[in-house]
Amino acid sequence: MLGAVGLRESTENAIMNANYIAAELKGDYDILYTGKNGTVAHELILDCREIKKTSDVEVADIAKRLIDYGFHAPTVSFPVAGTLMIEPTESEDKEELDRFILAMKTIRKEIAEIENGHADKELKRVQILGSSSSCGQCIRRQKLSVFLSKCWEL
């Protein structure tokens, strides 16, 4: 359907999108399986094992938090336990990629509050993981509204 040229362009766009995300998240998350130049293929694998050690936040918690920010949860713990596999498609535009990057950076900042002792570990986990209590829902709504306002600025 796409033909040879269309298939090549789709592949190039998927690789470009994955490398854009990898470059933007470098420093916030460790990235596994990079090439000689630090590049990735059509997917990138974020290593969250150290985050678990320093904050008790599981990789599944991060995936669930992405749902709060309006994203489908990525592949969790495959091909490596404790990782997120991000596979942006060739059809993702830059605005959507930037929104995803902002969500991942925001989640990382929430985790850093635990790691740095600026937030009570158990309370912060409730905020990150969500809570059925009205207080937990209120906190999540406040953080989500700040995130959404930043998205409109993009």
Side-chain angles (χ1 to χ4, degrees):
M1 292 193 319
L2 292 174
V5 173
L7 180 59
R8 182 177 180 89
E9 287 177 3
S10 292
T11 302
E12 289 171 350
N13 284 338
I15 292 169
M16 181 176 61
N17 287 347
N19 277 283
Y20 176 68
I21 292 172
E24 292 296 312
L25 292 180
K26 188 176 182 180
D28 292 300
Y29 296 90
D30 293 329
I31 300 169
L32 296 182
Y33 305 123
T34 58
K36 291 179 187 176
N37 299 324
T39 57
V40 297
H42 68 286
E43 63 193 20
L44 60 143
I45 299 172
L46 302 181
D47 189 351
C48 302
R49 294 173 290 187
E50 191 64 28
I51 289 171
K52 165 66 174 146
K53 290 178 188 174
T54 59
S55 68
D56 280 339
V57 174
E58 302 274 353
V59 67
D61 302 332
I62 297 169
K64 290 175 187 176
R65 189 67 171 135
L66 272 171
I67 295 170
D68 289 340
Y69 287 112
F71 293 95
H72 187 277
T75 302
V76 175
S77 292
F78 180 85
V80 178
T83 64
L84 287 174
M85 183 167 57
I86 312 296
E87 297 181 87
T89 66
E90 65 279 357
S91 62
E92 304 290 345
D93 63 20
K94 186 171 180 303
E95 285 181 354
E96 187 68 1
L97 296 176
D98 287 340
R99 196 172 72 84
F100 177 79
I101 291 163
L102 179 60
M104 290 301 294
K105 286 179 174 279
T106 302
I107 292 167
R108 189 63 186 97
K109 286 178 185 174
E110 292 172 344
I111 295 167
E113 290 178 20
I114 296 171
E115 294 169 326
N116 297 330
H118 296 289
D120 177 80
K121 195 175 234 183
E122 286 308 308
L123 174 62
K124 196 63 190 169
R125 285 203 66 206
V126 167
Q127 292 174 6
I128 290 175
L129 305 179
S131 168
S132 59
S133 72
S134 60
C135 177
Q137 289 174 354
C138 180
I139 292 167
R140 288 172 64 190
R141 283 190 198 114
Q142 288 172 342
K143 287 189 169 280
L144 196 53
S145 67
V146 169
F147 170 76
L148 292 173
S149 68
K150 288 180 182 179
C151 286
W152 289 114
E153 295 171 6
L154 293 176

